[in-house]
Amino acid sequence: MANNSSNGGEKTTTKPPPQPSPLRNSKFFQSNMRILVTGGAGFIGSHLVDKLMENKKNEVIVVDNFFTGSKDNLRKWIGHPRFELIRHDVTEPLLVEVDQIYHLACPASPIFYKYNPVKTIKTNVIGTLNMLGLAKRVGARILLTSTSEVYGDPLVHPQPESYWGNVNPIGVRSCYDEGKRVAETLMFDYHRQHGIEIRIARIFNTYGPRMNIDDGRVVSNFIAQALRDEPLTVQLPGTQTRSFCYVSDMVDGLIRLMGGEHSGPINIGNPGEFTMLELAETVKEEFGLASGKQDQLHRWGWGWGHLTKYGMHKIVIKHESRMKLAGGILLINPEVEIKKVENTPDDPRQRKPDITKAKELLGWEPKLKLREGLPLMEEDFRLRLGVAKKK
Ligand SMILES: NC(=O)c1ccc[n+]([C@@H]2O[C@H](COP(=O)([O-])OP(=O)(O)OC[C@H]3O[C@@H](n4cnc5c(N)ncnc54)[C@H](O)[C@@H]3O)[C@@H](O)[C@H]2O)c1
Ligand SMILES: O=c1ccn([C@@H]2O[C@H](COP(=O)(O)OP(=O)(O)O[C@H]3OC[C@@H](O)[C@H](O)[C@H]3O)[C@@H](O)[C@H]2O)c(=O)[nH]1
């Protein structure tokens, strides 16, 4: 582990920050904040936009290429006078006049960032360069959403910001974790060389409504599988750990970091740590799939039905994996299975944030526990999956 003095974090430059345009010193402009959110059509970005739009003095501009994000996530703001949505790829330069930049644009799910790794690196490196160039021209403060993946497969546990990490530079995840590491380097170089006001958040696994159904990340996968009555796919060995932060806590942390005096990097995450097997069991329990009576179906014509006091009630059979025929009766097990499946290379074995800095410097810590956050995703997932709640 490196000591704090060589970590880059919290070191300041003597360079004064670039001056914003003279208009920004006028009374009207001073009371209004123009905020750019790159990647604002994505999962965390759209929740951040919702929060920023609550403040009537904020004008919000979202730029997004819609690779993993969607206009649907922002539908309540489209047409709003304080909101603007621009289809734009951050690997191209952008000319807008803003006071703050939340730079989130980057695919975050391993499936998506590995899909086109060269593009992922370009997004992290060229995209961050472009946003820093913009920050320099207009004198804006810029916040980068970096990641716990900069710690790689960590050998220090939990991970403080001073830990330099254990990253494979040539692996299949490198496009993302090395990409984010370079993005952090660029942030500090622009700060030291040009006086740019920077903020770096190292985000740990975040979950909540609006995650893509087919996002591939573990929480959305397990919830979608549970609601579809499919086995929960725990990747081997299942003992690997993650720490899950509910999205409203994350957004609160990001806004505090942007508004505060500290450059970071600062870990923003929930220190509650779970193995993937524990997460699967928790999802089963929270979604009422861990216990219950076995369902017994009787043959009825060509199909199967429940024998009720009003006679036979026909049932459409969908989930063969949970059925067993015994003595002419079809038994349906209410317990959703856990299925162990192959993992992907370089999957970090453990991850848990040390949030001492966030607590001390931002007065931030997460409010929601995993068991409180998971049920808040149910309605959104049911709606998008078209799965009604069982009576
Ligand atoms: N969700 C997490 O657990 C997590 C953890 C660590 C870090 N982060 C970081 O937070 C940010 C947001 O993550 P998320 O979970 O909301 O992911 P997401 O995939 O839902 O959102 C990313 C957004 O960026 C957009 N985008 C991607 N490439 C772009 C490009 N070249 N130009 C413009 N837009 C582009 C996507 O279309 C999407 O709307 C990312 O920077 C990610 O690295 C997220
Ligand atoms: O269906 C699944 C999916 C994933 N997993 C496991 O769940 C764990 C978490 O995997 P995820 O894909 O949700 O995410 P990871 O923790 O690997 O990366 C994540 O953390 C850091 C962020 O920067 C990334 O944006 C985010 O994807 C891994 O150990 C993975 O093997 C399963 O067991 N089953």
Side-chain angles (χ1 to χ4, degrees), residues 86-100:
I86 304 172
R87 182 188 289 267
H88 177 84
D89 196 302
V90 292
T91 57
E92 300 293 333
L94 177 72
L95 292 175
V96 287
E97 306 300 315
V98 290
D99 306 298
Q100 289 184 344

Side-chain angles (χ1 to χ4, degrees), residues 38-46 63-70 73 88-91 103-109 112 119 122-124 127 144-149 176 180 201-207 210-212 215 217 250 254 351:
T38 76
F43 160 53
I44 299 180
S46 62
V63 305
D64 205 295
N65 70 353
F66 302 118
F67 175 50
T68 52
S70 121
N73 289 338
H88 177 84
D89 196 302
V90 292
T91 57
H103 179 37
L104 281 71
C106 179
S109 166
F112 288 96
K119 179 64 198 275
K122 284 186 181 171
T123 297
N124 277 315
L144 170 75
T145 51
S146 184
T147 166
S148 52
E149 294 223 14
Y176 183 75
K180 289 281 187 184
R202 288 191 181 149
I203 298 182
F204 283 65
N205 295 55
T206 303
Y207 68 99
R210 292 192 201 144
M211 290 183 90
N212 275 330
D215 186 273
R217 280 180 279 187
M250 178 55 56
L254 296 178
R351 217 187 252 163

Side-chain angles (χ1 to χ4, degrees), residues 145-165:
T145 51
S146 184
T147 166
S148 52
E149 294 223 14
V150 300
Y151 302 121
D153 188 10
L155 305 176
V156 170
H157 195 72
Q159 295 81 53
E161 292 83 352
S162 53
Y163 177 49
W164 285 358

Side-chain angles (χ1 to χ4, degrees), residues 317-335:
I317 306 287
K318 282 202 292 196
H319 308 294
E320 285 165 24
S321 66
R322 288 167 53 201
M323 293 172 201
K324 202 165 75 187
L325 197 57
I329 293 174
L330 192 63
L331 302 173
I332 303 196
N333 190 348
E335 179 118 353

Side-chain angles (χ1 to χ4, degrees), residues 113-350:
Y113 69 62
K114 290 187 222 169
Y115 167 74
N116 185 344
V118 174
K119 179 64 198 275
T120 301
I121 296 179
K122 284 186 181 171
T123 297
N124 277 315
V125 179
I126 303 174
T128 303
L129 265 174
N130 283 333
M131 291 310 111
L132 282 161
L134 170 65
K136 182 176 162 219
R137 183 177 64 79
V138 298
R141 182 178 288 184
I142 178 169
L143 180 151
L144 170 75
T145 51
S146 184
T147 166
S148 52
E149 294 223 14
V150 300
Y151 302 121
D153 188 10
L155 305 176
V156 170
H157 195 72
Q159 295 81 53
E161 292 83 352
S162 53
Y163 177 49
W164 285 358
N166 177 37
V167 175
N168 176 357
I170 55 167
V172 289
R173 295 176 88 103
S174 317
C175 58
Y176 183 75
D177 46 31
E178 293 287 23
K180 289 281 187 184
R181 285 165 71 97
V182 176
E184 287 196 14
T185 309
L186 284 167
M187 294 281 286
F188 268 92
D189 284 339
Y190 264 72
H191 172 62
R192 286 184 287 251
Q193 199 173 330
H194 301 296
I196 304 292
E197 290 191 333
I198 58 158
R199 302 288 182 265
I200 298 178
R202 288 191 181 149
I203 298 182
F204 283 65
N205 295 55
T206 303
Y207 68 99
R210 292 192 201 144
M211 290 183 90
N212 275 330
I213 302 281
D214 301 310
D215 186 273
R217 280 180 279 187
V218 68
V219 175
S220 46
N221 270 9
F222 285 179
I223 291 183
Q225 287 162 345
L227 296 178
R228 284 168 167 153
D229 282 334
E230 290 167 4
L232 309 191
T233 52
V234 171
Q235 291 176 351
L236 288 164
T239 48
Q240 68 273 36
T241 66
R242 293 294 187 274
S243 304
F244 300 100
C245 184
Y246 190 69
V247 67
S248 57
D249 282 332
M250 178 55 56
V251 164
D252 178 35
L254 296 178
I255 292 176
R256 278 174 193 247
L257 177 60
M258 178 65 105
E261 292 310 310
H262 300 277
S263 309
I266 296 191
N267 289 337
I268 312 273
N270 190 319
E273 186 185 9
F274 299 84
T275 68
M276 293 312 103
L277 279 165
E278 283 167 349
L279 175 69
E281 291 298 342
T282 310
V283 168
K284 278 169 61 172
E285 282 166 30
E286 289 304 320
F287 287 74
L289 299 163
S291 58
K293 276 199 292 185
Q294 206 171 43
D295 219 357
Q296 296 195 350
L297 299 184
H298 299 263
R299 186 151 315 266
W300 195 60
W302 291 107
W304 296 90
H306 270 302
L307 196 54
T308 70
K309 63 177 173 180
Y310 306 107
M312 199 64 101
H313 174 68
K314 194 165 180 190
I315 295 286
V316 181
I317 306 287
K318 282 202 292 196
H319 308 294
E320 285 165 24
S321 66
R322 288 167 53 201
M323 293 172 201
K324 202 165 75 187
L325 197 57
I329 293 174
L330 192 63
L331 302 173
I332 303 196
N333 190 348
E335 179 118 353
V336 160
E337 276 176 63
I338 289 180
K339 189 168 129 192
K340 295 221 175 150
V341 297
E342 272 305 297
N343 205 336
T344 51
D346 293 343
D347 185 43
R349 281 164 292 183
Q350 52 181 358

Side-chain angles (χ1 to χ4, degrees), residues 21-33 57:
S21 85
L23 256 187
R24 301 305 299 166
N25 296 323
S26 79
K27 235 180 175 175
F28 169 76
F29 273 118
Q30 270 182 357
S31 62
N32 287 275
M33 188 66 83
K57 297 201 163 169

